[in-house]
């Protein structure tokens, strides 16, 4: 496959940009190849600068649930941009998106927009600390909440993908206030939260982990997190940057019927433009400046283009049958994928799926937490990734990420991807 133009761009990019990329996982280091540069994308397809076309399962790491350049979203951006791109003053579009978010998420009474998921989560833990006047944040091994200092402890996504131990540059004084414990372990959870010597402000969790690969919570674990944090006056933060508007219109909290105290959002609510958000109970949110003393601000927060794209996206997601259709497509695809794995790589893979997010692990045991995820064969995943890319299927360049089903992928696209998966699995099996 001729990648001359991508190669030339990558070479030049590395002169100006660390690693030639603006986010580490995109560099494809863990899957043994150089990154391809994208020329354009439309619907379920991405085209690289050398003209190769791919069925896209990365979906920009989650935002493109409608697929690329969905007409309603593109129209909204076009209509908004002619009136200006940023005002540094309130505009009605911020209220429109806030109203949609509050009406969709059962636990959210007020919401503040920021420009990334990282900004949302770092603001949410600051708010939880300010509200409780306590300092310790409890997170879970393998979960990733963005790159703010407090989160770079046993974090997922690029941190495990690149095997970075924590992160240099994060002072011990910060890290000492972050405790990371195993996901899906009720015993350790209870022991930690009931440890009165710990000054715990909040628990932050991915209600479905997407950054150690997809790992679903056990019902017991989810119930224990909610019950214990409620009993002990600890703020429960659902990081729904991936799951928000992905698992249902009400996110994971509606999907599981468990209401957190604060919710973080990103990705889908921006329709592909930079947005994050955090929201929750008025009693907590009213502590945020200018009404309260907990400070958070942002030049581009509530950006009109991003707000317009988010409103248009959510309006599409709210249409009757949207999530039922996505679920049927995802379930069908996952069933076929599992069948191919059992046929060609029996006992060597395990598929975790919740709704339209899934991960096929090259692992012989179930993946239920960070420890079991780390047993996956990342070399074999890299080979599979490269084989699939060569055949026109774009998967996440890491075993520890999610593959996404979008509304734009047609049955033909999914059949094409399954056909290439069969070819790749056969090669992996040495057939
Ligand atoms: P951003 O700052 O990247 O917008 O959001 C951080 C974040 C927070 N919470 C969760 C659950 C997330 O998954 C993320 C970011 N996700 C990764 C991929 N899983 C972003 C991709 C990247 O880092 O390039």
């Amino acid at each position: 496959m001729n990648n001359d133009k991508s190669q030339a761009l990558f070479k030049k990019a590395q002169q100006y940009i660390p690693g030639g990329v603006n986010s580490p996982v995109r560099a494809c280091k863990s899957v043994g190849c150089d990154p391809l540069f994208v020329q354009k994308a439309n619907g379920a397809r991405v085209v690289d600068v050398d003209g190769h076309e791919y069925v896209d399962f990365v979906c920009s790491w989650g935002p493109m649930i409608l697929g690329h350049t969905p007409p309603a979203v593109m129209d909204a951006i076009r209509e908004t941009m002619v009136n200006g791109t940023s005002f540094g003053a309130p505009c009605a579009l911020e209220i429109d998106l806030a109203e949609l978010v509050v009406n969709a998420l059962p636990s959210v009474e007020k919401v503040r927009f920021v420009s990334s998921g990282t900004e949302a989560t770092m603001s949410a833990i600051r708010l939880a600390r300010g509200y409780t006047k306590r300092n310790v944040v409890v997170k879970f091994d393998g979960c990733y909440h963005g790159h703010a200092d407090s989160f770079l402890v046993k974090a997922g996504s690029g941190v495990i993908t690149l095997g970075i131990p924590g992160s240099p540059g994060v002072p011990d004084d910060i890290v000492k206030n972050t405790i990371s414990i195993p996901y899906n372990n009720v015993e350790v959870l209870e022991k930690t939260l009931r440890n009165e010597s710990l000054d715990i402000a909040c628990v932050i969790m991915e209600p479905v982990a997407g950054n150690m690969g997809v790992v679903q919570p056990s019902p017991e674990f989810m119930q224990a997190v909610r019950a214990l944090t409620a009993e002990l006056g600890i703020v429960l933060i659902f990081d729904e940057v991936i799951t928000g508007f992905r698992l249902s219109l009400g996110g994971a909290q509606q999907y599981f019927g468990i209401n957190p105290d604060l919710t973080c959002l990103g990705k889908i609510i921006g329709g592909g433009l930079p947005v994050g958000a955090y929201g929750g109970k008025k009693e907590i949110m009213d502590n945020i400046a200018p009404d309260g003393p907990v400070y958070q601000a942002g030049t581009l927060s509530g950006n009109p283009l991003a707000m317009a794209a988010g409103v248009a996206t959510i309006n599409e997601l709210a249409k009757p049958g949207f999530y039922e259709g996505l679920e049927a497509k995802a379930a069908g695809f996952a069933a076929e994928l599992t069948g191919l794995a059992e046929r060609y790589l029996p006992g060597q893979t395990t598929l975790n799926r919740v709704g339209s997010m899934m991960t096929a692990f090259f692992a012989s045991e179930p993946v239920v937490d960070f420890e079991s995820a780390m047993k996956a064969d990342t070399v074999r995943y890299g080979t599979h990734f490269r084989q699939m890319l060569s055949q026109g299927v774009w998967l996440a360049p890491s075993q520890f990420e999610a593959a996404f089903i979008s509304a734009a992928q047609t049955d033909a696209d999914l059949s094409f991807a399954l056909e290439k998966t069969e070819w790749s699995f056969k090669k992996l099996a040495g057939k």
Side-chain angles (χ1 to χ4, degrees):
M1 191 165 87
N2 178 306
N3 296 325
D4 292 351
K5 289 180 181 169
S6 269
Q7 284 292 318
L9 287 173
F10 186 45
K11 188 165 184 280
K12 185 171 183 182
Q14 291 175 86
Q15 285 179 254
Y16 302 104
I17 303 167
V21 292
N22 285 305
S23 199
V25 185
R26 300 180 199 170
C28 296
K29 279 187 182 292
S30 75
V31 289
C33 61
D34 289 338
L36 298 177
F37 280 63
V38 173
Q39 179 70 40
K40 61 181 179 180
N42 178 271
R45 302 287 173 132
V46 167
V47 182
D48 71 20
V49 292
D50 291 287
H52 306 303
E53 186 173 299
Y54 308 86
V55 176
D56 176 26
F57 286 86
V58 178
C59 300
S60 181
W61 304 97
M64 312 321 287
I65 191 170
L66 295 174
H68 296 281
T69 63
V73 177
M74 301 304 281
D75 290 348
I77 294 170
R78 265 191 288 271
E79 285 156 23
T80 305
M81 67 192 292
V82 295
N83 294 323
T85 57
S86 180
F87 312 124
C91 72
L93 280 164
E94 296 166 79
I95 306 167
D96 296 343
L97 187 56
E99 194 172 19
L100 285 173
V101 168
V102 166
N103 290 339
L105 270 66
S107 70
V108 176
E109 295 176 332
K110 280 194 176 178
V111 62
R112 167 64 63 86
F113 293 111
V114 292
S115 297
S116 71
T118 295
E119 259 195 284
T121 55
M122 65 186 263
S123 306
I125 63 169
R126 181 184 306 140
L127 173 58
R129 285 168 161 159
Y131 175 70
T132 61
K133 297 180 179 43
R134 301 181 208 148
N135 294 321
V136 170
V137 171
V138 174
K139 70 175 287 293
F140 295 97
D141 302 347
C143 286
Y144 177 74
H145 305 290
H147 64 88
D149 285 352
S150 294
F151 300 126
L152 294 178
V153 176
K154 289 191 179 179
S157 190
V159 180
I160 53 173
T161 295
L162 299 172
I164 298 172
S167 177
V170 180
D172 291 345
D173 274 356
I174 298 273
V175 168
K176 75 182 181 189
N177 282 319
T178 301
I179 295 175
S180 193
I181 57 177
Y183 198 81
N184 272 329
N185 186 319
V186 174
E187 186 188 345
V188 172
L189 171 77
E190 179 149 20
K191 191 174 168 205
T192 304
L193 299 194
R194 290 196 184 284
N195 180 342
E196 290 177 1
S197 69
L198 295 176
D199 178 35
I200 300 174
C202 60
V203 169
I204 185 166
M205 70 181 288
E206 292 182 62
V208 173
N211 289 289
M212 49 180 134
V214 172
V215 174
Q216 51 266 64
S218 70
E220 302 73 29
F221 178 67
M222 282 293 265
Q223 279 139 33
V225 172
R226 181 60 285 183
L228 285 164
T229 50
E231 178 197 334
L232 298 167
I234 294 170
V235 173
L236 175 57
I237 303 173
F238 272 8
D239 176 350
E240 296 224 39
V241 169
I242 290 181
T243 58
F245 295 94
R246 166 69 57 186
L247 298 188
S248 78
L249 200 62
Q253 55 200 265
Q254 185 178 67
Y255 188 87
F256 291 115
I258 292 194
N259 282 349
D261 302 308
L262 292 177
T263 299
C264 300
L265 298 167
K267 297 183 193 277
I268 288 174
I269 64 162
L273 296 190
V275 185
Y278 62 104
K281 295 173 179 171
K282 278 193 190 123
E283 176 199 345
I284 302 176
M285 290 301 289
D286 285 346
N287 285 274
I288 287 283
D291 284 353
V294 179
Y295 196 70
Q296 174 267 311
T299 302
L300 294 174
S301 295
N303 174 270
L305 298 193
M307 297 295 103
V311 166
T313 298
I314 293 174
N315 285 338
E316 291 301 305
L317 302 179
K319 287 180 176 173
F322 178 85
Y323 287 98
E324 292 77 3
L326 205 60
E327 172 59 23
K329 216 158 55 162
F333 181 76
E336 296 285 337
L337 188 58
T338 302
L340 290 172
E342 284 166 0
R343 183 172 170 195
Y344 295 105
L345 301 168
Q348 302 162 54
T349 66
T350 184
L351 179 77
N352 286 354
R353 178 183 75 89
V354 181
S356 57
M357 59 191 280
M358 64 184 86
T359 299
F361 290 94
F362 287 96
S364 51
E365 299 295 324
V367 176
V368 296
D369 57 15
F370 177 67
E371 187 181 351
S372 46
M374 292 307 283
K375 291 176 183 167
D377 183 341
T378 54
V379 173
R380 188 172 238 198
Y381 181 85
T383 305
H384 179 58
F385 171 87
R386 296 192 304 277
Q387 289 179 169
M388 292 295 280
L389 201 63
S390 74
Q391 298 298 306
V393 179
W394 191 300
L395 300 176
S398 163
Q399 169 71 95
F400 306 115
E401 294 288 354
F404 295 104
I405 298 296
S406 77
Q409 290 154 351
T410 62
D411 292 345
D413 291 325
L414 298 179
S415 298
F416 174 82
L418 287 165
E419 181 193 312
K420 300 310 177 185
T421 302
E422 181 172 22
W423 172 83
S424 179
F425 281 0
K426 271 183 182 174
K427 277 173 75 73
L428 292 174
K431 289 189 166 78

